[in-house]
Amino acid sequence: MNVSSNKKVIKPNRVILLGSGALRIGQAGEFDYSGSQALKALREESIETVLINSNIATIQTDSGLADKTYFLPVEPYFVEKVIAKEKVDAVLLSFGGQTALNCGLYLEESGVFAEYGVRVLGTPVETIRMTEDRHLFAGKLSEIGVKTARSKAVYSVKEAIEAAHFIGFPTMMRSGFSLGGKGSAIVYNERECQQLAEMVFSSVSQILVEECLKGWKEIEYEVVRDNHDNCITVCNMENFDPMGIHTGESIVVAPSQTLDDYEHQMLRDIAIKTIRHLGVVGECNIQYALDPQSREYRVIEVNARLSRSSALASKATGYPLAYVATKIALGYDLTEIPNGITKVTTAFFEPAMDYIVCKIPRWDLDKFDGAGQNIGSEMKSVGEVMSIGRSFAEAVQKALRMLEIGVDGLDPDAFNFNDLYTALTIPTPRRIFAVAYALRNLMTVDEVHELTRIDRFFLYEIVRIVTLEQATRTHRLCNLDDLHMRQLKKAGFSDHALGRLSGESEDSVREHRHRIGVRPYLSQIDTLAAEYPAETNFLYFTYGAQRSDVSPSERPKILVLGSGCYRIGSSVEFDWCTVSAVKAAQELGYEVIMLNSNPETVSTDFDICEQLVFDEITLETVIELNDFYRPIGLLVSAGGQTPNNLALKLHKVGIHIFGTAPESIDNAEDRNKFSLLLDRLGVEQPLWVEADSSGDLEKKVRQMGGFPVLVRPSYVLSGAAMHVAYSMEELRSFLGKAVEISTEHPVIISKFEEASREVEFDAVACNGEIHLYSLAEHIENAGVHSGDATLVLPPQRLTIEAMKKIRLIGGRLAKALKITGPFNGQMLCRKNQVKVIECNLRASRTFPYISKALGVNFIREATALMLRGVGLSEKQPRSLLEMSYVVVKSPQFSFARIKGADPRLGVEMSSTGEVACFGADVEEALLAAQLATGFKIPKKGVLVSVEQESERARIVNEIELLRRKGLVVYATPETAIVLREHRVECITVAVDELLRRDGQPLVEFLRSGHVDLIIGTGLF
C-alpha cells in the first residue's frame, strides 16, 4: 500500500530501528507488533532497514522483515558500532518501548547521532525528553494552562522527604525515565517515602513527588499528529479501576462508558491542545485523572512513543497506529495516507465504535514464592487479553475466560473471600470477583462504590450478570426458550458456565441452544459510523447482533488457533510459530482464518491473514467458527498449550485436526500414558509411580530410591504445580496443588535426577519419520525449568555418542506416536546415559531460536508437511557439527517487579522473556546475551559464596581473573579459606551471621555499593 508521491517528503536511504529486547513486565509483545508494522511501512517506501533487537522469539527479528538484523543488546555501545558499520542516515526511536527511547536519548545527548549524521525521524528528541522528564513536562503544560498534579521533581532522598511533607501525605512518587510504572507507589508516611526513594535512586536520577489522586477516574486518549499540525484522537479508553492502579494493571474499557459528552469533548480538546504544544510527530498516548464529582482533571503523563495502550487502541479500533506513525515520521500528512483497514478512507479520520472492548491483564503472581498479591501503581502483570462485545457484561465475561485462570467468567464459586472488606479496598488480581461476591451477598451498589471507587455503571453491569446467574440456578436450561437463552448469552455466559449453574453438561447446553436456533453472529469491526460500508477482515462473535456481517468464500480454508494471552511459559515465541504457520498455509494456496484474543501480538494484525476472528480460544467458540466457515481442518500445534489442550475434545465432536492425531497428543500429555509408553519402548526415564490415592506413599518413594522426587501433573504449561519434594510433608503439600490443577488427568511422581545435563530435542516429522531436528544444551544442570535455563546451540559439552542416542530416541518417539508436525523432547544426559523427561507434540518455545540459529523455519516446514505431506523448502539446516558460530539463548527475569518474590530458580518457570545472541564462541555469545538481559559488567567488587566444598577449588582461577581486572573480592568464610589457600586476595564477609539477623545487615552491605556482582550457590 504505497502512499501517494509527495515532493515534501525527503526519504532517508537507510533507517535503523531500535527494538525493545526481551519481553519483561512493563514492556512486552506490543513492541514486536509496533516495530514489525514500522518495518513493513518502510519496506513499502523502498527504504533499507537495519534492526537491532536481541529478542530471537519475535516476528520482528525474522529474516526478510528488516534488510539486516543484529541480535545485539539495545545499548549505546552496540548501537553506535552498528550505525558506524551500516552508515545509516536516520533512526526510529518510538517503536522499541522505554529501552529504545532511553538508548536513543543517550546517543543524541552524547553527540553520536550528530557525529554520524543520523536524523531522528518522527517526534523530536527535545519533545521526547520533555515528556520523559517529569519536571520539564509539568512546566511545559503550565505554559498553556493545562493542569498537572501539584508536584516537585527531586534528585535525592532528602529532597524527596521534604517534597512529600510539603505536598502532604499520602503522596504519589513516580520514577523518571522508567517503564510500566517501575519505582512508583503511593506512600503514606516518611518511612515509606524514604524506603521507596532509596530503592528508586539506585537506578534513576529523578523522582517526581506529586499530589495523590487516588480514587479519581483514569482516562486515556491515543492521539496522532502529523508535520502540518493535523491532529486526531483515535481512541479513548477508561479504566475500570480508579487512579492508584497502573493502567497496565487495570481492566480497561474502550470507548469510555461513563463520561458525558462535555467531559469527553473537554478531555479530547485538551489532548489535541497538549500534543500540538509539545510538538509530537506521529502517535502518542495521554493519560488523565478525572474527579468524578467536580470535572476537575489532571494530565498525568504523555508517552511520546508507541506504547501498550497504543497496541490496545490499534486492535480495539482497527486503526493501524504503528503503520501510520511510521509514514508520518517519513514526512507524509494524515490526508495522504490510505487506511489499510477500512479501504475507503485516509488516515485522517476518528474511528466511531459500535461495540465495546475490554482488556484485562494476566498476572502470574502465584508462580513466585513469597510474592505479595496486591497491585498498584507499579506493573506486575505479564500479559493481557482483549475481548469484544456489544455490552460490558458480554465483553468482561469473555475476557475473564480468555485469561485461562480456571474461571468461566464472573464465577460465583471461583474464589472465597473471608475478609470481604480487605478484598474490596486493597486491589488484587481477584478484586473484580470480590465485587461480584459482594453484590451477590446483598451489598448495595453504593456500598461497593464507596469502598472501591469503581464507577456505578460498571457495578450495575455486574449486578445484571449476578441476577441472571442466580436466576439460572432455579431453571433447567433445556426448558428455556430462545428469548431467555439469548438474554443469557448476550450477558456473556458460556455454555460451560450455564451447564455448571444448572447442573447440566456443556454438550447438552450446546445441543439445546442449537436446537432452538440461538447462535452467535460474526460481526465486523465497524468504525465508520455507517457512513461507508465496512470492508474489514477484523471480526468477532456476538449474541447482540441481528445477523452476520460476512459470508464464507468458496476457497479452501484452514483455521489456525493462536496462543491466547501472554503468560509465563507461553509468550511471543508462539506468536512467531502461529504467524509462520499462517504464511506457510497461504503459500500453499489456503485461505487462513486466525482465532486469537491477544492485542499485543503480530498474529492479530490486520494484514496477517484473510480472516481475523478476535475471540476466545475455547471449545464453544471453535465449534461455532468451524460450523460457520466449514474449513477443511484446524491447525492446533503452533499456538502452544492452549490449542493443544483442545485437540482431543475437538476431535471427538468430528472436527479434523491437521498433523499428529489427537490420541497421540493425549498419549504424550497424559503423564501416566507417556511413562507407560516409554517403558514399552524400552526408553530410559527417571523412575516413576502414579500418584493415586491408593497405596502407601512412603513405600512408593522408597521404591524410587528415596527423596528428592518430582511431582509432575499432566496437561500443564511452564511446569505449573511442578515441584521437587525433599520430604514427605513437602510431597503431600505439592501433590495437593498438582491434583487441584490437573483434576481430569493423572499426576505422577518421578525420581529427581541430580547432576544431570538437560537437552532440548526439537524436530519436525511426517508419518513418524523425522525430517528436521536440532539439539540445544542447557548450561544449568537439570532442576532449572527449560524456559529459565540458558541454552547453547550447537551443544558444547555433549559427546558424539550422546548426541546420536538422543537423535535415535527422538526417532523412536516420532515413530511410536506417529508424529506429523512439530514436536519437542526434553532429555537428561549423564555420562552418555540418556533419559526422557517429556515430549510435547506441538511447537515449543525454542522453535524460533533453533530456526533462526540454523537458518531454516521449522514451523514453515512442519505446516507444509501437515497440510500437504511435503515440505516447502529444499534447504537443509546447518549441521550442528559444522557450525562456525555459537548461539546462546538467555532468559529475562522480572523479579525486581514482584515485591517479596524469591528469585531462586526451580522446576516451575518464572522468566518473562528471552534473548539470544550470536558469537564466534560460547563465551562471546553468552556475554552478549547476558548484557541484553540487563546484566552490567562489574566495576567495583564481587561477593563469592560457594556452598559445595567440591566446587570451591574449581572457581579459583576465574575469581583471580576478576581480581586482576580490578574487582575487590569479598567471600564468605569457607570460600575465603579456599581462595587464600590458592593465594587469591579477598576480604571475608560473615554473610551467614548477617542472614541470621533477618538479613538486614546483608541488605545494607549490598546497598553500600562495594559489590556489583554476586557469584555463589546456597547464599540465599
Side-chain angles (χ1 to χ4, degrees):
M1 188 201 317
N2 289 302
V3 299
S4 57
S5 175
N6 189 321
K7 293 180 181 178
K8 296 173 292 182
V9 177
I10 304 174
K11 294 181 185 177
N13 295 312
R14 183 173 291 182
V15 173
I16 186 168
L17 187 144
L18 306 187
S20 62
L23 269 60
R24 65 197 78 180
I25 291 177
Q27 186 168 275
E30 61 270 15
F31 299 109
D32 185 32
Y33 138 75
S34 60
S36 298
Q37 282 297 326
L39 291 170
K40 290 176 185 177
L42 292 168
R43 188 173 57 202
E44 286 180 1
E45 301 294 327
S46 300
I47 296 171
E48 287 188 53
T49 53
V50 177
L51 170 69
I52 298 184
N53 195 353
S54 55
N55 193 335
I56 204 160
T58 69
I59 299 296
Q60 193 179 117
T61 55
D62 237 2
S63 62
L65 209 57
D67 292 294
K68 287 191 177 179
T69 298
Y70 285 85
F71 289 93
L72 289 171
V74 185
E75 295 284 344
Y77 172 83
F78 295 99
V79 175
E80 181 179 356
K81 296 291 185 186
V82 174
I83 287 173
K85 180 177 184 294
E86 294 295 338
K87 297 180 172 55
V88 299
D89 56 350
V91 62
L92 284 172
L93 303 180
S94 301
F95 298 87
Q98 201 70 39
T99 298
L101 212 58
N102 288 351
C103 180
L105 288 176
Y106 178 88
L107 291 169
E108 195 274 339
E109 289 170 0
S110 60
V112 170
F113 288 158
E115 179 183 349
Y116 294 98
V118 177
R119 175 164 53 110
V120 177
L121 299 177
T123 300
V125 171
E126 180 186 356
T127 297
I128 294 172
R129 190 178 294 109
M130 206 178 299
T131 57
E132 292 292 318
D133 186 305
R134 303 284 184 178
H135 177 64
L136 294 177
F137 178 69
K140 189 68 177 177
L141 265 59
S142 69
E143 294 174 2
I144 53 173
V146 170
K147 299 176 183 176
T148 56
R150 283 190 307 115
S151 62
K152 182 175 176 56
V154 298
Y155 302 89
S156 69
V157 175
K158 181 182 177 183
E159 287 182 6
I161 293 171
E162 291 173 352
H165 279 293
F166 175 75
I167 291 172
F169 292 105
T171 187
M172 169 64 78
M173 296 174 66
R174 297 181 184 274
S175 168
F177 300 91
S178 64
L179 75 156
K182 184 177 181 181
S184 69
I186 297 171
V187 295
Y188 292 86
N189 52 54
E190 182 176 314
R191 182 178 59 83
E192 291 181 0
C193 178
Q194 179 174 340
Q195 289 175 341
L196 182 63
E198 287 174 349
M199 182 188 74
V200 173
F201 278 127
S202 67
S203 58
V204 299
S205 60
Q206 183 199 74
I207 294 175
L208 191 75
V209 181
E210 67 180 28
E211 66 177 312
C212 179
L213 304 172
K214 186 178 181 180
W216 288 30
K217 290 182 184 181
E218 186 162 1
I219 311 290
E220 300 179 70
Y221 282 74
E222 293 297 318
V223 187
V224 178
R225 177 181 175 269
D226 64 24
N227 295 274
H228 288 83
D229 220 20
N230 297 311
C231 199
I232 60 171
T233 59
V234 171
C235 181
N236 83 315
M237 295 167 280
E238 175 175 9
N239 287 13
F240 173 89
D241 301 292
M243 287 288 295
I245 300 175
H246 190 279
T247 185
E249 297 286 271
S250 180
I251 297 171
V252 177
V253 179
S256 59
Q257 300 295 296
T258 72
L259 299 185
D260 61 30
D261 187 61
Y262 176 87
E263 291 168 330
H264 168 60
Q265 295 300 335
M266 175 185 73
L267 297 180
R268 178 184 175 277
D269 291 346
I270 292 168
I272 291 174
K273 178 181 178 181
T274 299
I275 300 316
R276 282 176 166 162
H277 185 65
L278 290 172
V280 171
V281 178
E283 193 275 345
C284 68
N285 163 270
I286 183 169
Q287 296 176 19
Y288 296 97
L290 179 68
D291 183 0
Q293 307 300 323
S294 66
R295 287 178 170 166
E296 276 287 308
Y297 76 90
R298 301 286 188 275
V299 173
I300 303 301
E301 66 180 8
V302 170
N303 290 307
R305 57 173 169 81
L306 274 293
S307 67
R308 181 182 315 100
S309 297
S310 306
L312 176 64
S314 187
K315 302 302 170 73
T317 62
Y319 189 102
L321 281 164
Y323 174 89
V324 171
T326 306
K327 296 293 187 180
I328 290 173
L330 294 175
Y332 291 103
D333 292 345
L334 282 165
T335 56
E336 300 171 311
I337 304 171
N339 188 296
I341 286 279
T342 65
K343 307 288 196 299
V344 293
T345 66
T346 68
F348 194 31
F349 90 106
E350 295 189 344
M353 300 163 65
D354 67 345
Y355 50 88
I356 290 177
V357 160
C358 181
K359 179 216 85 173
I360 302 184
R362 158 87 186 217
W363 294 270
D364 279 334
L365 297 176
D366 291 338
K367 280 185 171 285
F368 301 95
D369 290 340
Q373 294 292 314
N374 297 349
I375 59 176
S377 59
E378 186 173 11
M379 271 191 72
K380 296 180 181 179
S381 59
V382 294
E384 60 189 37
V385 296
M386 186 186 93
S387 65
I388 310 173
R390 292 293 177 91
S391 69
F392 175 75
E394 183 181 30
V396 76
Q397 293 227 82
K398 265 192 192 183
L400 289 169
R401 288 193 294 273
M402 289 171 174
L403 291 174
E404 298 181 55
I405 56 174
V407 301
D408 261 327
L410 278 175
D411 282 359
D413 307 316
F415 307 105
N416 290 318
F417 298 96
N418 297 324
D419 185 353
L420 190 54
Y421 175 82
T422 299
L424 291 172
T425 54
I426 299 178
T428 70
R430 297 178 180 177
R431 183 159 75 160
I432 189 170
F433 296 100
V435 168
Y437 185 91
L439 295 171
R440 227 178 251 120
N441 288 276
L442 303 181
M443 281 187 74
T444 67
V445 165
D446 286 343
E447 288 171 334
V448 175
H449 171 73
E450 288 303 315
L451 291 175
T452 64
R453 310 310 298 176
I454 296 170
D455 193 276
R456 291 178 179 83
F457 167 82
F458 298 121
L459 298 180
Y460 278 117
E461 282 287 280
I462 293 174
V463 167
R464 179 160 78 95
I465 294 171
V466 168
T467 303
L468 288 169
E469 162 206 298
Q470 291 173 331
T472 304
R473 289 181 180 276
T474 63
H475 293 88
R476 282 192 59 78
L477 289 178
C478 61
N479 296 326
L480 283 184
D481 59 21
D482 60 340
L483 184 65
H484 289 93
M485 177 63 81
R486 190 166 291 279
Q487 184 183 27
L488 289 167
K489 300 301 286 185
K490 281 183 178 180
F493 288 94
S494 67
D495 289 347
H496 190 271
L498 293 174
R500 185 174 41 77
L501 289 170
S502 62
E504 300 174 41
S505 70
E506 179 180 359
D507 291 346
S508 64
V509 174
R510 181 174 63 252
E511 289 166 6
H512 174 65
R513 179 170 58 77
H514 286 183
R515 192 163 49 248
I516 61 176
V518 177
R519 305 292 290 262
Y521 294 107
L522 208 51
S523 293
Q524 290 176 305
I525 294 290
D526 187 353
T527 59
L528 298 174
E531 292 184 21
Y532 304 93
E535 299 291 337
T536 177
N537 65 340
F538 198 173
L539 311 165
Y540 65 98
F541 270 133
T542 181
Y543 285 85
Q546 301 299 313
R547 59 177 178 79
S548 290
D549 293 335
V550 295
S551 299
S553 72
E554 296 300 319
R555 291 180 60 194
K557 307 171 190 63
I558 69 164
L559 173 57
V560 177
L561 303 188
S563 58
C565 66
Y566 286 169
R567 71 206 85 171
I568 290 176
S570 181
S571 193
V572 70
E573 63 275 352
F574 291 113
D575 195 46
W576 177 89
C577 292
T578 302
V579 173
S580 296
V582 168
K583 290 179 178 177
Q586 289 170 331
E587 285 183 66
L588 293 169
Y590 293 99
E591 179 182 333
V592 180
I593 305 142
M594 163 65 65
L595 176 64
N596 207 355
S597 55
N598 191 331
E600 300 175 88
T601 66
V602 173
S603 66
T604 53
D605 268 0
F606 71 96
D607 58 354
I608 292 298
C609 56
E610 287 79 0
Q611 304 290 322
L612 168 63
V613 181
F614 212 110
D615 222 298
E616 52 188 319
I617 307 169
T618 60
L619 180 66
E620 177 181 342
T621 304
V622 175
I623 289 174
E624 294 292 346
L625 205 53
N626 184 76
D627 287 353
F628 183 87
Y629 277 110
R630 297 293 177 186
I632 59 176
L634 269 65
L635 206 61
V636 301
S637 55
Q641 197 69 31
T642 296
N644 219 43
N645 287 354
L646 290 174
L648 193 59
K649 294 177 181 178
L650 292 168
H651 174 67
K652 287 179 178 178
V653 297
I655 296 177
H656 176 61
I657 306 296
F658 287 117
T660 306
E663 292 89 349
S664 291
I665 294 173
D666 184 57
N667 285 335
E669 291 285 352
D670 185 304
R671 299 287 189 190
N672 188 43
K673 291 179 182 177
F674 183 64
S675 292
L676 289 171
L677 172 67
L678 294 178
D679 286 344
R680 286 198 303 272
L681 293 175
V683 173
E684 287 193 76
Q685 62 180 311
L687 294 172
W688 69 281
V689 294
E690 187 173 356
D692 54 25
S693 56
S694 61
D696 186 338
L697 197 57
E698 294 188 16
K699 181 180 178 182
K700 290 181 176 182
V701 172
R702 285 197 302 272
Q703 288 173 351
M704 291 185 291
F707 293 102
V709 296
L710 181 61
V711 176
R712 300 179 69 94
S714 302
Y715 279 94
V716 295
L717 176 74
S718 70
M722 196 179 294
H723 289 92
V724 179
Y726 291 88
S727 67
M728 192 57 61
E729 182 182 6
E730 282 188 340
L731 178 57
R732 290 195 172 96
S733 172
F734 296 152
L735 273 177
K737 295 176 183 176
V739 170
E740 191 177 307
I741 73 160
S742 192
T743 53
E744 299 178 12
H745 305 283
V747 176
I748 69 166
I749 305 168
S750 65
K751 179 63 180 173
F752 178 64
E753 302 273 345
E754 298 181 283
S756 291
R757 191 165 300 131
E758 193 166 341
V759 180
E760 301 283 329
F761 178 81
D762 289 297
V764 174
C766 186
N767 298 320
E769 296 294 329
I770 289 179
H771 280 232
L772 302 170
Y773 80 94
S774 171
L775 298 178
E777 176 188 21
H778 293 204
I779 286 183
E780 297 85 354
N781 278 347
V784 174
H785 190 278
S786 61
D788 287 350
T790 309
L791 269 60
V792 182
L793 193 157
Q796 301 293 298
R797 299 175 295 174
L798 290 181
T799 64
I800 299 295
E801 182 183 350
M803 293 171 70
K804 286 182 177 177
K805 280 186 178 181
I806 292 168
R807 168 64 178 82
L808 180 64
I809 291 170
R812 293 173 70 182
L813 288 173
K815 190 174 291 292
L817 291 165
K818 301 174 183 175
I819 298 173
T820 294
F823 73 101
N824 162 268
Q826 293 178 21
M827 306 185 194
L828 298 178
C829 185
R830 185 178 184 186
K831 295 180 180 178
N832 293 331
Q833 181 186 33
V834 177
K835 295 182 180 181
V836 173
I837 309 174
E838 67 180 20
C839 186
N840 297 301
L841 303 195
R842 55 167 172 78
S844 75
R845 71 179 58 84
T846 45
F847 265 68
Y849 165 56
I850 60 158
S851 295
K852 294 175 187 180
L854 297 177
V856 172
N857 188 317
F858 275 47
I859 295 299
R860 181 173 179 266
E861 295 305 297
T863 303
L865 291 169
M866 288 187 285
L867 298 181
R868 291 285 177 88
V870 292
L872 276 166
S873 175
E874 296 179 359
K875 186 179 180 183
Q876 290 297 310
R878 299 178 179 94
S879 168
L880 295 176
L881 299 178
E882 296 175 359
M883 289 176 65
S884 60
Y885 55 89
V886 178
V887 190
V888 172
K889 181 172 86 72
S890 291
Q892 173 75 56
F893 298 98
S894 297
F895 288 119
R897 291 280 190 166
I898 312 295
K899 299 296 184 292
D902 186 339
R904 287 180 296 182
L905 304 183
V907 292
E908 184 168 3
M909 189 172 165
S910 57
S911 61
T912 56
E914 63 190 43
V915 299
C917 291
F918 292 63
D921 52 39
V922 68
E923 287 81 10
E924 182 181 35
L926 177 60
L927 178 59
Q930 289 296 302
L931 290 171
T933 65
F935 174 79
K936 303 296 182 186
I937 295 177
K939 297 179 180 178
K940 299 176 182 177
V942 54
L943 172 62
V944 189
S945 175
V946 180
E947 187 176 40
Q948 295 90 349
E949 186 176 348
S950 60
E951 295 290 321
R952 290 172 190 147
R954 292 178 58 185
I955 66 166
V956 169
N957 291 337
E958 285 79 4
I959 302 304
E960 173 62 13
L961 181 62
L962 291 175
R963 191 192 66 78
R964 288 179 183 175
K965 291 290 184 182
L967 296 183
V968 178
V969 178
Y970 299 86
T972 51
E974 294 83 359
T975 305
I977 291 171
V978 176
L979 292 178
R980 290 197 182 100
E981 286 175 354
H982 290 80
R983 296 175 181 165
V984 177
E985 296 178 17
C986 62
I987 300 170
T988 303
V989 179
V991 172
D992 291 344
E993 180 61 30
L994 298 180
L995 284 172
R996 274 195 285 273
R997 288 182 281 159
D998 300 323
Q1000 192 56 39
L1002 176 60
V1003 172
E1004 295 302 323
F1005 171 72
L1006 296 176
R1007 279 182 176 171
S1008 67
H1010 297 307
V1011 168
D1012 47 5
L1013 176 66
I1014 298 175
I1015 299 175
T1017 60
L1019 178 59
F1020 299 105

